[in-house]
């Protein structure tokens, strides 16, 4: 599986894996989506891309990430800001 770090500086829509793109496409049509992707597939990047779509459509201006375990929260604290940076084009999220 490819690393999300290989996508740095590139448009997420052009670099999402097939399953990630399917999640994004479904989300854009339904705005209420539950998705299941395999471990290591890039759920965080898929979620960040969905947030970007919601933000661009004026459907959301905040993001809440909920995980069931502390280890996942710790992992998310490391990966979520990076994936949001990729999805949103390196904007400063603290300025809103």
């Amino acid at each position: 599986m490819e690393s999300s770090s290989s996508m740095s500086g590139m448009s997420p829509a052009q670099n999402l894996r097939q399953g990630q793109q399917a999640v994004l496409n479904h989300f854009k049509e339904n705005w209420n989506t539950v998705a299941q992707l395999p471990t290591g597939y890039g759920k965080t990047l898929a979620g960040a891309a969905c947030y970007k779509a919601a933000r661009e459509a004026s459907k959301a201006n905040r993001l809440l990430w909920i995980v069931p375990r502390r280890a996942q929260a710790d992992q998310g604290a490391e990966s979520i800001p990076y994936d949001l940076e990729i999805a949103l084009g390196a904007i400063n999220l603290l300025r809103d």
Side-chain angles (χ1 to χ4, degrees), residues 12-57:
Q14 298 171 349
N15 297 291
L16 294 177
R17 296 176 184 168
Q18 184 178 358
Q20 292 168 320
Q21 188 64 52
V23 169
L24 178 59
N25 292 344
H26 188 270
F27 180 75
K28 285 180 177 180
E29 293 175 12
N30 297 288
W31 300 113
N32 186 8
T33 298
V34 175
Q36 182 177 353
L37 296 171
T39 301
Y41 195 82
K43 291 178 283 293
T44 305
L45 184 57
C50 289
Y51 171 67
K52 178 183 179 184
R55 186 177 170 121
E56 288 175 347

